[in-house]
Amino acid sequence: MPKKLLVLFISVFVLSCNSDDNSIDCSLVDCEVASNTIRLRFLSPENDENLLVNGTMDSEDIQVFNEQNQTVTFSIEEYPSTGMIVVVPVSIEEFGQKSFTIDIKGESSSVSFNTTFRRGERCGPYTEIDDVETIISYDHTLEEYGNLPLSITFYIPSS
């Protein structure tokens, strides 16, 4: 019985994405859910250990402010592939220039970018970003995909 269900599932999946008249219909294929966030990861430069996991940092060490210098409430979430990260929501009530100041243990960094609405042909809508600029006090990597989420990994040396 399980083999029959597996064959049925695979058949439905394959048949849901067919090509007729050079148009592709993938209506049953799941789309990635849009995430209007900035994802911040804090690692040790010595061993890539996640500082939120090992207790070197906690939410009290981090403050985030928006372009109006208002405190932005963030969450700390755990993902299997990245470990614990800080998730900062990006408001999409209005599109345009966004700017965030990230204060980590008294050291300020900033990230700014422009946002626009993008409807997608089959998936979406997404918040597209461009003109990403950073001024970051620590070594870092930036992962930018053309739309949110934006991921920044900070390498914080031990003090």
Side-chain angles (χ1 to χ4, degrees), residues 38-65 72 74-79 81-88 100-111 135-143 150-158:
I38 301 172
R39 297 176 179 174
L40 308 175
R41 205 163 62 141
F42 303 98
L43 301 179
S44 165
E46 291 86 23
N47 56 15
D48 283 345
E49 190 172 4
N50 188 310
L51 301 178
L52 293 169
V53 172
N54 73 10
T56 303
M57 286 183 66
D58 61 26
S59 62
E60 303 295 318
D61 296 321
I62 306 160
Q63 290 184 301
V64 180
F65 304 95
V72 176
F74 58 85
S75 61
I76 296 179
E77 299 178 11
E78 187 166 5
Y79 292 92
S81 61
T82 58
M84 294 179 79
I85 62 172
V86 170
V87 178
V88 181
F100 293 89
T101 300
I102 305 156
D103 185 74
I104 307 161
K105 296 183 176 185
E107 290 283 333
S108 289
S109 299
S110 66
V111 60
I135 301 173
I136 297 183
S137 304
Y138 299 99
D139 286 339
H140 68 283
T141 58
L142 175 72
E143 295 175 38
L150 177 67
S151 297
I152 306 171
T153 300
F154 292 83
Y155 296 94
I156 313 285
S158 57

Side-chain angles (χ1 to χ4, degrees), residues 1-13:
M1 182 70 170
K3 288 183 181 181
K4 289 180 182 179
L5 286 174
L6 180 62
V7 170
L8 177 65
F9 174 74
I10 292 172
S11 299
V12 168
F13 180 76

